[in-house]
Amino acid sequence: MNTPSSGPGSTQAPGREPVGSRPAKSRTAGEHAPITLTGLGAKVILLGLVAGIAIWAAFPLVEAEQWAGLALLVATTAGLCYLYLTRRHVPAKYLVPGTLFLIAFQIVPVLYTASTAFTNFGDGHRGDKQGAIVAIQTASVEQVPGSTEYALSVATEGDPATGPLVFLVTDPADGAVSIGDATGLRRLDADEVTVAPGGKVTAADGYTVLNFGQASARSQEITDLVVPTTGGALRSSGLSRAYEGKAVRAYDAACDCVRDSETGRTWTADESTGSFVADDGERLAQGWKVGVGLRNFTRVLTDPNISGPFLGTLVWNFAFAVGSTGGTFMLGTFVALALHSPRMRGTNLYRVLLILPYAMPSFAMLLVWRDMFNTDFGLINNLFGLGVNWFGEQWSARGAVLLVQLWLGYPYMFLVATGALQAIPRELTEATSVDGASPWQSFRAVTLPLLLVALSPLLISSFAYNFNNFNAIYLTTEGGPFPADNPSNGATDLLITYTYRLAFGGQGAEFGFAAAISLFIFAIVAVVSAVSFRRTRKQEEVYA
């Protein structure tokens, strides 16, 4: 088969160009590649998903009458649809998703933590005042002579072992079945339930009725469940009967107080603390969330039980963070230098063995190390014939946790130092050798400064991580050893573990107080990081 030729003697129709000789048509500025069917379908699916999520989120906002949040939701959804349905603002199409994720996962949690620090939010102070009143009244329900009794069946929504509990009760007067939980009682239609002779419910649409064994396993939860009713509240009497009791304590709006009808005792509302307080200072356990200003912050500085150990804990916290970061950096760099030598053989095998601690789960290794430091049967004492009570003395416990951190952290520094060393030209170190410098002088004058320029940001982030290294302390020493006069602050406690014990180790969780101390820690780490980054930039300018 003959093919056209462009050589001498070939013929070509006038005005025609050979195939493949036409230059590609260039797009003018402002033109974009055509949208393919696949790209259009993906865009429609993603925007439909965004719209669906927005509609789903709008209903709770409307129900709670959060109009500002609803307006923000509508504006954000409309902006996203406009941005991705037009051909304009191409850079924004790439910047907006990252910005939204930054706001959702970084800025919003930080702002929420900061706002919580100025409240009394915690156990007993989670809801509003009306919710606290309801909880106080329902918790005081007692069975009185003449209380109505009901046939009771306990059911769950979902898993019988973990699902939320509900009461299915049958009214002895008319046989009507009602369902109740902590929010109240509502009547069910007859076709939604199956009732056995005697009034006990055996089945209900959408619920799993617990058998005797399943109910027995959750007996404490059943006993604690209180269902508010018009005349008082509904509580269980065993696993098959329930009664409608009378609230002994009731709220009196005239005095803004709670009265106990049996003892006559009164607790008056204190809006500054979100609690009902008696004349002798006794507070009811159930309160409500209020703003407390700077009270959480001043408590850290003025309460002698907290401010006393705070400074000592802060000093040890700095020592632990600096020691952990510096020790792992020096050991990791030393090992990386040894394997970087051209005379070293079998480096791949050594690298695999050296990074094993980094590849293992840290929480498991911390528990293993805790057992290894055991005084009686620990590997370290038995191996070296020692009798050291590692976690019983202040300095031995601190040395133990630093040793554990050295073992766990040096593989990371080894990896990053290996990468940084490979980026340093060998000509620089060879030039120092030619000039007569010793290996140590070459390392100090060339290698180390260049390593610090490359690794300073990683060292700063490692310091920030170790400053808040909760697992390293809590899984090994649990903050101990503790002095006899202060069981809340141990010798190895960091600020983060000390905060955890103060805020969550007592009567109940104090989220507002924990958030306040978290802001103190954040400020300390932020200042140290800012100063370190400033020095790093100066160092980069010197070696640029």
Side-chain angles (χ1 to χ4, degrees), residues 276 451 487 526:
F276 288 101
L451 273 178

Side-chain angles (χ1 to χ4, degrees), residues 492-504:
T492 57
D493 263 327
L494 305 181
L495 288 179
I496 188 67
T497 57
Y498 184 41
T499 301
Y500 178 81
R501 190 174 295 107
L502 287 175
F504 305 108

Side-chain angles (χ1 to χ4, degrees), residues 198-350:
K200 190 173 179 65
V201 177
T202 58
D205 293 347
Y207 297 92
T208 302
V209 177
L210 304 186
N211 58 37
F212 182 79
Q214 293 168 333
S216 297
R218 305 184 65 177
S219 60
Q220 187 59 49
E221 297 177 66
I222 295 172
T223 302
D224 294 339
L225 180 57
V226 180
V227 179
T229 62
T230 305
L234 203 67
R235 304 194 71 162
S236 65
S237 177
L239 300 178
S240 60
R241 305 294 295 176
Y243 64 89
E244 185 176 12
K246 179 184 177 182
V248 175
R249 294 175 180 175
Y251 176 72
D252 187 349
C255 64
D256 194 17
C257 63
V258 173
R259 296 184 186 276
D260 191 308
S261 60
E262 290 186 347
T263 63
R265 193 172 177 80
T266 302
W267 294 266
T268 305
D270 183 357
E271 296 293 343
S272 64
T273 60
S275 303
F276 288 101
V277 187
D279 293 337
D280 59 0
E282 180 192 2
R283 298 175 184 270
L284 294 180
Q286 187 64 48
W288 61 96
K289 180 181 176 181
V290 295
V292 296
L294 297 175
R295 189 179 303 163
N296 289 325
F297 297 92
T298 57
R299 179 183 171 190
V300 177
L301 302 175
T302 59
D303 188 340
N305 294 326
I306 299 174
S307 60
F310 192 86
L311 180 59
T313 302
L314 177 61
V315 172
W316 157 243
N317 205 148
F318 270 106
F320 173 81
V322 172
S324 297
T325 305
T328 55
F329 171 70
M330 288 188 291
L331 181 57
T333 302
F334 174 77
V335 175
L337 284 170
L339 296 184
H340 188 64
S341 172
R343 294 176 295 177
M344 193 70 180
R345 296 292 181 267
T347 55
N348 290 335
L349 176 62
Y350 285 122

Side-chain angles (χ1 to χ4, degrees), residues 6 23 51 55 81 136 262 374:
S6 59
I55 294 172
C81 291
I136 291 170
E262 290 186 347
N374 186 276

Side-chain angles (χ1 to χ4, degrees), residues 59-267:
F59 286 104
L61 293 174
V62 172
E63 184 178 357
E65 298 183 355
Q66 297 288 337
W67 308 121
L70 181 64
L72 179 62
L73 177 66
V74 172
T76 303
T77 306
L80 288 174
C81 291
Y82 166 77
L83 178 64
Y84 289 99
L85 289 176
T86 63
R87 294 179 178 272
R88 299 180 179 181
H89 314 295
V90 175
K93 296 179 189 294
Y94 297 94
L95 292 175
V96 167
T99 303
L100 291 178
F101 280 112
L102 175 66
I103 293 173
F105 295 106
Q106 292 283 357
I107 297 177
V108 171
V110 170
L111 292 178
Y112 181 75
T113 301
S115 64
T116 302
F118 297 92
T119 69
N120 65 342
F121 181 54
D123 286 349
H125 298 84
R126 295 174 179 263
D128 57 9
K129 185 176 181 179
Q130 185 58 39
I133 293 171
V134 172
I136 291 170
Q137 293 180 158
T138 55
S140 67
V141 170
E142 293 182 359
Q143 189 172 9
V144 297
S147 295
T148 305
E149 292 196 359
Y150 303 85
L152 169 67
S153 293
V154 182
T156 63
E157 297 181 79
D159 187 358
T162 59
L165 294 174
V166 295
F167 285 169
L168 296 168
V169 294
T170 305
D171 193 324
D174 56 9
V177 176
S178 300
I179 186 170
D181 55 20
T183 62
L185 197 66
R186 65 180 178 87
R187 183 160 293 193
L188 295 176
D189 294 334
D191 57 354
E192 295 182 83
V193 294
T194 302
V195 183
K200 190 173 179 65
V201 177
T202 58
D205 293 347
Y207 297 92
T208 302
V209 177
L210 304 186
N211 58 37
F212 182 79
Q214 293 168 333
S216 297
R218 305 184 65 177
S219 60
Q220 187 59 49
E221 297 177 66
I222 295 172
T223 302
D224 294 339
L225 180 57
V226 180
V227 179
T229 62
T230 305
L234 203 67
R235 304 194 71 162
S236 65
S237 177
L239 300 178
S240 60
R241 305 294 295 176
Y243 64 89
E244 185 176 12
K246 179 184 177 182
V248 175
R249 294 175 180 175
Y251 176 72
D252 187 349
C255 64
D256 194 17
C257 63
V258 173
R259 296 184 186 276
D260 191 308
S261 60
E262 290 186 347
T263 63
R265 193 172 177 80
T266 302
W267 294 266

